[in-house]
């Protein structure tokens, strides 16, 4: 097949080794973690630097070629890759640039994975204040920031955004900008809110609509000298949530997770509350006493904390442990019989709406029992990562992937749940280019208008990640 | 078992492929730091080279979105069969079986890469991977210093220790002799068939397996000792799958034998007062991940006086391939095995190592290659050589 002028020009930038238009490669990038079908890209490019990326963007504008930034393709919320897109695989830009212990931050290229970054930091006794992607340690730093993923440790550390200090971003028109304190050519990345507007925040959660993140500076802290783990069983999610609200007020925990749905048979609890705390020996002792007291008074029954410990300390950070199952079993169990489609629903809700939403969810889910049993659907998990206030829900329902009726029904359930989220005042942190974007963003009035204005201004030819955020 | 089929054990390839989450855990060893898990992705970069990409390609073949061609075959054979992807797969997909089924299908469809064809012709014509005929074998292969025609124990040298790394087979036979073990070797030992199986030539692999078993039976073999972990794996786990029955011998690797001999006092090591030798042990993929042997080599090293065992950052089940298998498997990737070997050895750059030790003839060859490319003066030895040098 004759190579296009665009392809030849890109090849001139990145070299033969880092570009492919072979079908064998294009197919391999046509599917991410999401179930939604993507298109077949025309070209795969692996830039080695921001400079190369900048040149590619200028060419893409010249040739009006849409480009799609690809970290590890681990986002579950819908791929926007369409036929003919050029995929920019960022994984070659994966270097750790500097651990700045004086200014408590680390700078790395965007293609480094969260797991790798934390792994490198831990060699030196440090860790990220925000533990990266809530889903997969194999996700890239750039991709996770662009998605503003809900991280492990949300309760104390906050969202991915809250661990980000500065970014280096290549704009769709090819200019490279540094944000915050790093915007000063003589400065260094260490402080987010310098030199005017918080442009770091503009790019976080933007799903690559406004620019491609190429470097990130993130907050780090010393690995705590002491950790403790608790698991409490509750008969009612309301009592569990009440305990969480009390714990949030004391800031005693690093991370609190509520697990509902498919719980271990050994426990009769309706909700499991996993609590992780760290700090000095004294602070952990003090906070442990607070946690035990609050949960006891709220009706929580202390249970074996092995799963909680394994969840937090094992490298794989697998949800299996939260359900007292061995590593990986959460994924392998039930799903082992046939492939399932999981139309994930993620949203953040404040109190008391979180409690009300939970009640509404169970009412809805129990009300569709006949239909879901007919299509063979089941609830894999209903988890809540609690934030400083409120929490982030994850609802994973499964449908047989090889049954069209079941899949269509799964999409309908997903849409209904997103509608409920918006009705209860929630917002959706993970947007992407799929159903989340289509169901939520266009309903946001002036906010949606502003997103479109920004897109038009920064990416006049709509070459970068077209379709994300429904803009 | 081939593509789009269910084998007699109920293994449904299509179903397994559909279960892939595409999470990319198959690439990473990230919790240990900035390390890749898959050596091929590490060098080639594009997703089609990794397990996740290969699963997508396999699906595309099954769904007829792709037809076999040279490019697909190249991607498919870009695999050292190190097993690291399967170890960490979130869905526990039988990735090794999946990729093997694809290679069998590639052969059926006539897609064999040049160097693989040479290898299979060599085995067919001469019985070994190097194409050395049997007359020359008699001249080249190390001699058994204590041949016992009645011995029920056979030392199966393997191609690499017979022709290339003869110091390994020599040391092994000397150790066995010192321990007073009655053993013999096959005069006409032929390749175990592993390279044929690995390429997807199951029929040809079965032929050499049958020849070997026949020859071993004639010799009265009851127990086989291997220096090469690939030969060992072939007899232990692949032959039963291929011919539907266990190889009728007790099977053991040299590290297991040596460790037992040391523990029982059948051999003893010299005292080395004042010696402080820092030794890094490289876990061969075949011996470690594929066969689960991690402790025996470490136990041997700990029993040798004056040695301090140093672990690679990636060790035991997380060990990183040295690239040795790439020599045969990846003809389309320039200097693959050298590049991987250098990456492996660079893991030790912050340690003052005196010696790198492994327990696989191919690993030794490739680690030497990497060491030379790095301009390193650190020697690489097989554990059999090190042990023999330190015996009374």
């Amino acid at each position: 097949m004759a190579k296009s002028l665009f392809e030849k020009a890109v090849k001139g930038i990145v070299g033969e080794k880092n570009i492919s238009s072979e079908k064998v490669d294009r197919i391999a990038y046509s599917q991410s973690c999401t179930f939604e079908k993507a298109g077949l890209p025309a070209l795969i490019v692996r830039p080695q630097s921001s400079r190369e990326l900048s040149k590619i963007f200028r060419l893409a504008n010249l040739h009006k070629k849409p480009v799609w930034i690809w970290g590890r393709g681990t986002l579950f919320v819908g791929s926007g890759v369409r036929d003919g897109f050029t995929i920019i695989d960022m994984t070659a830009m994966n270097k750790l640039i500097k651990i700045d212990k004086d200014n408590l931050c680390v700078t790395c290229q965007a293609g480094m994975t969260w797991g790798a970054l934390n792994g490198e930091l831990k060699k030196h006794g440090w860790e990220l204040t925000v533990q990266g992607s809530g889903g997969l340690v194999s996700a890239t730093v750039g991709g996770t920031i662009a998605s503003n993923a809900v991280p492990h440790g949300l309760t104390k550390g906050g969202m991915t955004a809250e661990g980000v200090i500065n970014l280096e971003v290549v704009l769709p028109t090819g200019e490279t900008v540094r944000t915050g304190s790093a915007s000063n050519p003589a400065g260094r990345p260490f402080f987010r809110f310098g030199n005017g507007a918080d442009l770091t925040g503009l790019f976080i959660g933007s799903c690559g609509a406004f620019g491609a993140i190429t470097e990130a500076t993130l907050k780090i802290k010393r690995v705590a000298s002491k950790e403790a783990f608790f698991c409490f069983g509750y008969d009612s999610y309301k009592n569990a949530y009440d305990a969480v609200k009390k714990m949030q007020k004391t800031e005693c925990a690093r991370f609190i997770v509520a697990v509902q749905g498919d719980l271990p048979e050994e426990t009769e609890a309706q909700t499991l509350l996993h609590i992780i705390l760290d700090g000095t020996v004294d602070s952990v002792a003090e906070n442990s006493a607070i946690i035990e007291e609050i949960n006891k008074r709220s009706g929580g029954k202390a249970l074996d904390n092995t799963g909680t410990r394994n969840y937090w300390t094992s490298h794989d950070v697998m949800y299996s442990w939260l359900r007292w199952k061995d590593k990986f079993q959460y994924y392998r169990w039930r799903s082992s019989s046939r492939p399932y489609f999981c139309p994930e629903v993620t949203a953040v809700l404040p109190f008391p709406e979180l409690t009300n939403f939970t009640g509404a969810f169970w009412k809805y889910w129990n009300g569709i029992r006949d239909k879901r049993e007919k299509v063979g659907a089941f609830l894999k998990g209903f988890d809540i990562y609690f934030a400083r206030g409120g929490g982030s829900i994850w609802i994973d329902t499964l449908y047989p992937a090889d049954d069209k009726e079941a899949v269509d029904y799964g999409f309908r359930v997903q849409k209904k749940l997103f509608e409920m989220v918006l009705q209860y005042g929630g917002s959706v942190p993970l947007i992407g280019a799929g159903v989340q974007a289509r169901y939520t963003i266009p309903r946001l009035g002036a906010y949606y208008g502003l997103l479109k204005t920004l897109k038009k201004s920064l990416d006049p030819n709509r070459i970068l990640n077209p379709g994300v955020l429904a803009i | 078992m081939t593509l789009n089929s269910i084998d007699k054990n109920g293994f449904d390839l299509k179903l397994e492929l559909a279960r892939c989450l595409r999470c990319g855990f198959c690439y990473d060893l990230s919790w240990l730091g900035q390390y890749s898990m898959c050596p091929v992705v590490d060098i080639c970069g594009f997703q089609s080279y990794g397990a996740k990409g290969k699963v997508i390609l396999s699906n595309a073949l099954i769904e007829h979105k792709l037809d076999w061609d040279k490019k697909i075959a190249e991607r498919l054979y870009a695999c050292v069969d190190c097993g690291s992807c399967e170890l960490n797969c979130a869905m526990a997909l039988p990735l090794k079986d999946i990729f093997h089924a694809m290679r069998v299908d590639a052969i059926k469809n006539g897609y064999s890469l040049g160097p693989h064809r040479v290898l299979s012709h060599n085995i067919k014509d001469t019985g070994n991977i190097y194409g050395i005929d049997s007359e020359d074998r008699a001249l080249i292969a190390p001699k058994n210093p204590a041949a016992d025609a009645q011995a029920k124990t056979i030392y199966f040298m393997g191609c690499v220790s017979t022709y290339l790394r003869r110091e390994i087979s020599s040391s092994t036979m000397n150790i066995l002799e010192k321990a007073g073990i009655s053993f013999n070797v096959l005069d006409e030992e032929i390749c175990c068939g592993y390279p044929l199986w690995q390429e997807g030539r199951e029929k040809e692999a079965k032929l050499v397996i049958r020849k070997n078993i026949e020859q071993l039976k004639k010799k009265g073999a009851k127990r086989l000792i291997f220096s090469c972990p690939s030969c060992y794996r072939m007899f232990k786990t692949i032959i039963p799958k291929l011919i539907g029955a266990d190889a009728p011998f007790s099977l053991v690797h040299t590290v297991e034998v040596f460790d037992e001999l040391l523990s029982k006092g059948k051999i003893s090591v010299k005292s080395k007062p004042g010696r402080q030798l820092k030794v890094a042990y490289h876990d061969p993929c075949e011996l470690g991940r594929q066969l689960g042997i991690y402790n025996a080599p470490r136990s041997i090293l700990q029993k040798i006086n004056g040695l301090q065992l140093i672990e690679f950052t990636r060790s035991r089940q997380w060990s990183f391939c040295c690239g040795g298998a790439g020599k045969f498997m990846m003809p389309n990737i320039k200097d693959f095995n050298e590049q991987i070997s250098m990456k492996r050895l660079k893991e030790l750059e912050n340690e003052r190592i005196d010696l790198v030790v492994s327990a696989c003839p191919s690993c030794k060859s490739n680690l030497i290659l990497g060491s030379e490319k790095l301009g390193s003066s650190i020697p690489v030895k097989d554990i059999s050589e090190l042990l023999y040098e330190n015996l009374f």
Side-chain angles (χ1 to χ4, degrees):
Chain A
M1 194 172 67
K3 296 194 188 310
S4 68
L5 279 176
F6 176 67
E7 184 179 342
K8 285 177 188 165
V10 173
K11 191 172 162 182
I13 295 167
V14 297
E16 193 172 5
K17 221 178 93 182
N18 296 310
I19 185 168
S20 175
S21 55
E22 297 289 349
K23 195 171 181 189
V24 74
D25 285 316
R26 294 188 289 126
I27 282 196
Y29 285 85
S30 66
Q31 281 185 285
S32 62
C33 277
T34 180
F35 186 79
E36 288 178 66
K37 295 286 179 201
L40 185 64
L43 201 59
I44 317 296
V45 185
R46 301 187 76 238
Q48 309 291 304
S49 66
S50 308
R51 202 182 165 86
E52 287 185 359
L53 188 61
S54 165
K55 288 180 183 174
I56 294 166
F57 282 3
R58 287 181 204 277
L59 269 176
N61 275 286
L62 195 65
H63 292 264
K64 303 282 189 294
K65 294 279 187 187
V67 296
W68 186 266
I69 305 298
W70 184 281
R72 278 292 179 91
T74 55
L75 196 61
F76 280 91
V77 297
S79 170
V81 176
R82 300 285 171 259
D83 285 349
F85 276 22
T86 292
I87 298 276
I88 308 287
D89 178 338
M90 296 292 286
T91 55
M93 294 172 63
N94 62 356
K95 310 290 177 300
L96 174 60
I97 295 168
K98 186 175 183 178
I99 301 173
D100 185 347
K101 294 174 189 169
D102 291 337
N103 294 300
L104 302 176
C105 57
V106 61
T107 301
C108 69
Q109 288 185 309
M112 194 170 189
T113 66
W114 283 102
L117 182 56
N118 240 340
E120 287 296 329
L121 286 167
K122 281 183 177 168
K123 285 182 191 171
H124 304 278
W126 294 82
E127 65 177 346
L128 295 162
T129 58
V130 177
Q131 291 286 305
S133 169
L136 302 166
V137 291
S138 53
T140 61
V141 169
T144 308
I145 294 171
S147 309
N148 197 16
V150 183
H152 303 278
L154 174 69
T155 316
K156 187 171 272 184
M159 287 290 280
T160 297
E162 290 164 81
V164 182
I165 298 175
N166 293 162
L167 296 173
E168 180 193 80
V169 179
V170 178
L171 299 178
T173 43
E175 295 89 350
T176 302
V177 296
R178 287 172 177 268
T179 63
S181 60
S183 59
N184 175 1
R188 64 163 70 215
F190 80 104
F191 196 78
R192 176 160 165 178
F193 302 105
N195 304 327
D198 174 26
L199 290 186
T200 306
L202 176 68
F203 299 102
I204 298 172
S206 70
C207 304
F210 307 137
I213 298 166
T214 47
E215 274 181 30
T217 301
L218 306 166
K219 294 177 190 171
I220 60 171
K221 69 179 194 69
R222 277 273 180 208
V223 173
S225 54
K226 179 79 179 165
E227 291 177 324
F229 307 91
F230 294 94
C231 181
F232 294 97
Y234 278 88
D235 294 337
S236 143
Y237 64 87
K238 286 181 185 163
N239 292 344
Y241 292 5
D242 283 343
V244 171
K245 280 189 276 184
K246 287 173 190 154
M247 286 189 282
Q248 282 171 323
K249 287 188 178 74
T250 67
E251 297 186 346
C252 57
R254 182 164 182 186
F255 198 24
I256 308 170
V257 186
V259 175
Q260 297 173 60
D262 230 338
L263 295 188
E265 287 168 8
E266 308 91 287
T267 173
E268 291 173 357
Q270 187 274 336
T271 300
L272 287 184
L273 215 53
H274 296 277
I275 302 156
I276 294 141
L277 62 156
D278 64 3
T280 62
V281 172
D282 289 345
S283 73
V284 167
E286 189 183 331
N287 286 327
S288 294
I290 292 169
I291 287 165
E292 285 176 313
E293 181 63 22
I294 288 173
N295 282 279
K296 191 177 159 192
R297 287 189 181 196
S298 304
K301 184 182 166 194
L303 300 172
D304 183 1
N305 67 356
T306 309
T308 320
R309 180 186 298 275
N310 286 340
Y311 161 76
W312 190 252
T313 57
S314 64
H315 56 74
D316 37 68
V317 199
M318 287 294 178
Y319 304 106
S320 301
W321 301 118
L322 296 178
R323 288 176 171 75
W324 297 2
K325 296 184 188 304
D326 284 343
K327 179 182 170 183
F328 296 147
Q329 205 181 331
Y330 181 47
Y331 294 96
R332 294 170 184 175
W333 174 66
R334 285 214 204 178
S335 313
S336 61
S337 56
R338 70 194 291 188
Y340 281 91
F341 155 54
C342 177
E344 190 171 86
V345 173
T346 310
V348 288
L349 287 141
F351 285 120
E353 286 83 356
L354 182 60
T355 315
N356 298 337
F357 174 87
T358 305
F361 167 76
W362 283 117
K363 191 177 171 193
Y364 168 69
W365 185 251
N366 293 329
I368 58 169
R369 179 189 299 265
D370 289 349
K371 177 66 180 173
R372 58 184 166 82
E373 283 182 354
K374 187 181 166 224
V375 299
F378 63 92
L379 179 68
K380 189 170 75 162
F382 177 14
D383 300 352
I384 299 171
Y385 283 17
F386 288 99
R388 189 165 174 272
S392 176
I393 59 165
W394 303 79
I395 303 174
D396 285 356
T397 53
L398 294 191
Y399 307 83
D402 49 2
D403 180 340
K404 190 177 179 306
E405 187 195 344
V407 169
D408 288 345
Y409 187 64
F411 278 124
R412 287 207 296 279
V413 171
Q414 186 188 39
K415 187 180 174 190
K416 172 69 184 170
L417 293 176
F418 275 123
E419 282 169 357
M420 284 167 59
V421 163
L422 293 179
Q423 187 191 331
Y424 279 88
S427 60
V428 180
L430 293 169
I431 297 293
V435 289
Q436 285 82 346
R438 292 195 296 275
Y439 290 159
T440 57
I441 301 293
R443 298 176 183 212
L444 304 179
Y447 177 86
Y448 182 40
L450 177 60
L451 288 178
K452 286 197 283 192
T453 304
L454 286 168
K455 178 70 175 172
K456 200 170 177 184
S457 163
L458 291 166
D459 187 8
N461 292 318
R462 245 176 131 254
I463 59 116
L464 184 59
N465 285 16
V468 295
L469 303 179
I471 53 177
Chain B
M1 180 187 57
T2 54
L3 288 183
N4 206 9
S5 71
I6 300 175
D7 77 358
K8 59 180 182 293
N9 300 315
F11 181 86
D12 184 337
L13 179 63
K14 194 172 177 180
L15 175 73
E16 296 296 346
L17 290 169
R19 289 176 53 233
C20 176
L21 280 180
R22 298 182 289 281
C23 62
F25 277 29
C26 48
Y27 299 167
D28 280 307
L29 254 183
S30 52
W31 55 93
L32 293 176
Q34 203 171 358
Y35 297 114
S36 178
M37 189 169 198
C38 171
V40 186
V41 170
D42 207 15
I43 297 296
C44 302
F46 288 104
Q47 192 162 289
S48 56
Y49 285 96
K52 168 176 159 179
K54 287 183 180 118
V55 166
I56 294 172
L57 293 177
S58 306
N59 254 326
L61 280 166
I62 283 181
E63 291 173 5
H64 304 292
K65 288 180 187 163
L66 272 182
D67 291 320
W68 275 106
D69 64 22
K70 189 165 171 270
K71 288 287 171 191
I72 299 174
E74 279 179 3
R75 296 299 193 278
L76 182 60
Y77 283 105
C79 171
V80 287
D81 200 19
C82 70
S84 62
C85 53
E86 182 171 302
L87 177 73
N88 214 35
C89 173
M91 293 297 284
L93 295 183
L95 292 169
K96 287 181 288 181
D97 288 346
I98 289 171
F99 300 145
H100 182 69
M102 286 183 72
R103 291 194 283 261
V104 171
D105 206 55
I107 294 294
K108 276 192 176 170
N109 283 278
Y111 287 97
S112 170
L113 303 183
H116 299 163
R117 281 199 298 275
V118 172
L119 214 65
S120 58
H121 283 148
N122 283 347
I123 296 170
K124 192 179 161 198
D125 295 345
T126 64
N128 63 78
I129 58 174
Y130 301 108
I132 296 169
D133 63 33
S134 56
E135 284 174 17
D136 289 342
R137 183 189 196 278
L139 298 171
I140 296 169
K143 305 290 175 292
N144 179 358
D148 175 0
Q150 303 305 312
K152 304 290 180 206
T153 295
I154 300 292
Y155 170 47
F156 194 94
M157 278 191 218
C159 296
V160 184
S161 302
T162 302
Y163 300 101
L164 187 67
R165 293 284 156 215
R166 286 169 292 171
E167 65 278 16
I168 295 175
S169 45
S170 295
S171 301
T172 299
M173 289 191 285
N174 285 330
I175 294 169
L176 297 177
E177 187 201 7
K178 268 190 184 258
I181 291 179
S182 169
F183 73 100
N184 210 342
V185 295
L186 294 177
D187 299 328
E188 295 288 333
E189 181 188 296
I190 57 171
C191 171
C192 66
Y194 178 81
L196 296 170
W197 171 83
Q198 198 180 33
E199 195 198 348
R201 294 182 185 277
E202 294 195 330
K203 202 172 143 191
E204 291 92 330
K206 279 181 196 170
L207 284 176
V208 295
I209 289 165
R210 292 211 168 94
K211 273 190 198 169
N212 265 328
I213 290 179
E214 203 175 295
Q215 210 188 157
L216 285 159
K217 276 183 178 170
K218 267 190 197 162
K219 205 86 173 168
K222 297 285 180 206
R223 182 191 195 212
L224 305 186
I225 299 175
F226 301 90
S227 286
C228 172
S230 298
C231 299
Y232 184 27
R233 180 182 167 209
M234 186 68 190
F235 274 82
K236 190 153 185 157
T237 65
I238 298 168
I239 285 179
K241 277 188 193 170
L242 268 179
I243 65 171
D246 287 345
F249 318 104
S250 107
L251 309 166
V252 65
H253 190 266
T254 49
V255 290
E256 297 169 295
V257 177
F258 298 157
D259 189 38
E260 192 185 351
L261 292 173
L262 283 165
S263 298
K264 289 184 174 171
K266 302 275 184 188
I267 49 176
S268 51
V269 292
K270 296 171 192 165
S271 69
K272 294 278 185 180
R275 181 170 77 171
Q276 282 293 319
L277 206 60
K278 287 176 96 173
V279 176
Y281 176 70
H282 164 77
D283 287 283
C285 303
E286 297 280 9
L287 193 64
R289 260 191 302 275
Q290 306 283 15
L291 295 163
I293 298 174
Y294 302 110
N295 293 333
R298 287 172 172 80
S299 171
I300 294 166
L301 293 172
Q302 278 156 359
K303 285 172 186 139
I304 298 176
N305 295 314
L307 294 196
Q308 185 191 349
L309 174 62
I310 305 293
E311 294 286 359
F312 280 79
T313 310
R314 293 175 279 187
S315 70
R316 292 181 176 260
Q317 72 266 42
W318 309 121
S319 175
F320 188 61
C321 172
C322 70
K327 208 178 296 179
F328 300 123
M329 291 301 287
M330 272 162 294
N332 60 323
I333 305 166
K334 195 170 176 283
D335 302 331
F336 171 84
N337 48 322
E338 287 173 23
Q339 291 185 60
I340 289 298
S341 178
M342 287 191 284
K343 284 204 173 207
R344 180 59 167 156
L345 291 168
K346 276 182 183 170
E347 258 175 68
L348 298 170
E349 65 191 357
N350 294 328
E351 302 276 357
R352 291 189 173 186
I353 297 294
D354 298 302
L355 179 66
V356 176
V357 169
S358 193
C360 166
S362 296
C363 290
K364 179 183 174 183
S365 292
N366 213 56
L367 288 167
I368 288 174
L369 187 69
S371 179
E372 285 170 356
K373 284 280 168 188
L374 284 171
S376 164
S377 56
I378 301 171
V380 179
K381 286 185 180 175
D382 188 84
I383 199 162
S384 57
E385 297 169 80
L386 181 67
L387 177 62
Y388 182 58
E389 287 165 9
N390 281 277
L391 287 185
F392 271 117

